[in-house]
Amino acid sequence: MATVSDTKLKKLLDLCPKGQVCLSSWLNTHHISHDLQRYYRRTGWLESLGQGAYKRAGCEVDWKAALSALQNQTDHKAHAGALTALSLQGYTHYLRWSGEIAHIFMPRGHSLPKWFQEQDWGNEVLVSRTNFLPTGKGISGYQKEQLTLKISEPERAILECLYLVPDHFDLVECYHLMEGLANLRPRLLQPLLEDCKSIKVKRLFLYMAGKAGHQWFKYFNADHIDTGKGDRAIVKGGVYIPEYKISVPQELAEL
């Protein structure tokens, strides 16, 4: 017959499998007390990632596991977005995870915990705190093996890429991504763009989508999208596009 300590240890190992991050508060709700967590750390079953977070001793974890823990063990609203979300869904097969930027989006007023910020995940993590799109709309679950992650669907992800240009993302690369998005859904894009608070994003999207010539663009109602007034210089010294009142790089205009 298993002892109480054996049963508790088995429960811990079930709750904190290899490659996963477990939050102290979450373990506590599953009857692995803070005292017991410290005991498992002393006896070599758990390793601390900083105050409030653990991993299985001797196992590697990455930023995706850490974000998954925040999403599934708390009510944190952060999600993987932009190019990261597109890559996870196979739209950027040439992308390498090692050394690439991990794009994380969250509403204003939210932040990542200290233990997350201070880890060396092997990737640069770029956090965007913004309400330019409605919280939760166009976000779905991604699963691979034991990892469960909330990420932007392609319709939201390309808008997040446009939000990051030109400071954190290249406009021409963004257009090449748009060219590959042949199956976007107008039923999701339409409300996202109608609720979008960024004039820059809306104008760039309409310009690039029209330029790419995808079939779905025909089922899109641009008249219901407020694109604001006045000119927007996305880059200095660019080519002016009068239909959308934006200035874009010459390389993009000539594609």
Side-chain angles (χ1 to χ4, degrees):
M1 181 180 294
T3 65
V4 173
S5 59
D6 289 338
T7 302
K8 286 283 188 180
L9 178 58
K10 183 180 183 303
K11 185 173 185 178
L12 171 72
L13 298 180
D14 288 340
L15 290 169
C16 195
K18 294 179 179 180
Q20 301 297 306
V21 172
C22 295
L23 303 184
S24 177
S25 57
W26 182 75
L27 289 173
N28 194 52
T29 64
H30 285 78
H31 309 293
I32 306 294
S33 68
H34 295 299
D35 286 342
L36 199 51
Q37 292 169 34
R38 287 190 287 269
Y39 169 76
Y40 287 134
R41 183 181 173 186
R42 289 196 308 270
T43 53
W45 290 103
L46 290 176
E47 289 181 14
S48 174
L49 291 170
Q51 186 174 359
Y54 292 100
K55 65 173 182 174
R56 183 89 75 89
C59 298
E60 296 296 323
V61 294
D62 59 16
W63 67 267
K64 297 187 290 295
L67 181 59
S68 176
L70 289 177
Q71 293 173 340
N72 297 301
Q73 298 174 29
T74 75
D75 61 353
H76 205 291
K77 303 301 182 185
H79 69 274
L83 188 63
T84 300
L86 290 173
S87 180
L88 286 169
Q89 294 169 91
Y91 289 99
T92 56
H93 60 276
Y94 60 87
L95 198 68
R96 297 187 306 271
W97 279 112
S98 178
E100 295 293 339
I101 296 175
H103 292 283
I104 296 178
F105 284 74
M106 64 187 71
R108 288 193 187 119
H110 289 245
S111 61
L112 294 173
K114 186 177 180 181
W115 62 264
F116 192 117
Q117 297 180 49
E118 292 183 347
Q119 289 296 316
D120 179 5
W121 299 114
N123 299 77
E124 179 185 351
V125 177
L126 179 65
V127 177
S128 298
R129 298 178 181 85
T130 175
N131 295 87
F132 90 100
L133 289 174
T135 301
K137 185 176 288 187
I139 296 173
S140 62
Y142 166 87
Q143 188 156 0
K144 185 176 182 180
E145 298 175 349
Q146 291 184 310
L147 176 71
T148 301
L149 201 61
K150 294 173 186 175
I151 68 173
S152 294
E153 296 183 71
E155 292 81 1
R156 183 179 181 117
I158 191 63
L159 298 181
E160 290 168 338
C161 288
L162 290 170
Y163 177 82
L164 295 173
V165 301
D167 294 336
H168 300 291
F169 200 69
D170 182 73
L171 270 165
V172 174
E173 184 177 1
C174 200
Y175 176 69
H176 288 315
L177 283 171
M178 180 76 79
E179 287 184 306
L181 297 175
N183 297 311
L184 295 188
R185 296 161 292 176
R187 288 185 179 181
L188 177 55
L189 268 173
Q190 188 76 43
L192 277 172
L193 282 164
E194 288 181 12
D195 292 337
C196 179
K197 297 178 181 177
S198 170
I199 298 299
K200 176 191 79 171
V201 168
K202 289 185 281 192
R203 291 187 188 182
L204 279 172
F205 178 85
L206 293 173
Y207 166 65
M208 289 187 180
K211 189 178 182 71
H214 290 310
Q215 285 289 99
W216 52 259
F217 194 62
K218 299 177 182 178
Y219 303 97
F220 197 74
N221 191 340
D223 294 336
H224 291 177
I225 299 167
D226 179 12
T227 54
K229 298 179 180 180
D231 296 337
R232 294 291 193 281
I234 309 301
V235 294
K236 293 182 179 180
V239 176
Y240 184 67
I241 310 297
E243 183 179 0
Y244 297 107
K245 299 179 181 179
I246 53 175
S247 296
V248 301
Q250 184 171 348
E251 182 184 358
L252 174 59
E254 292 177 352
L255 285 175

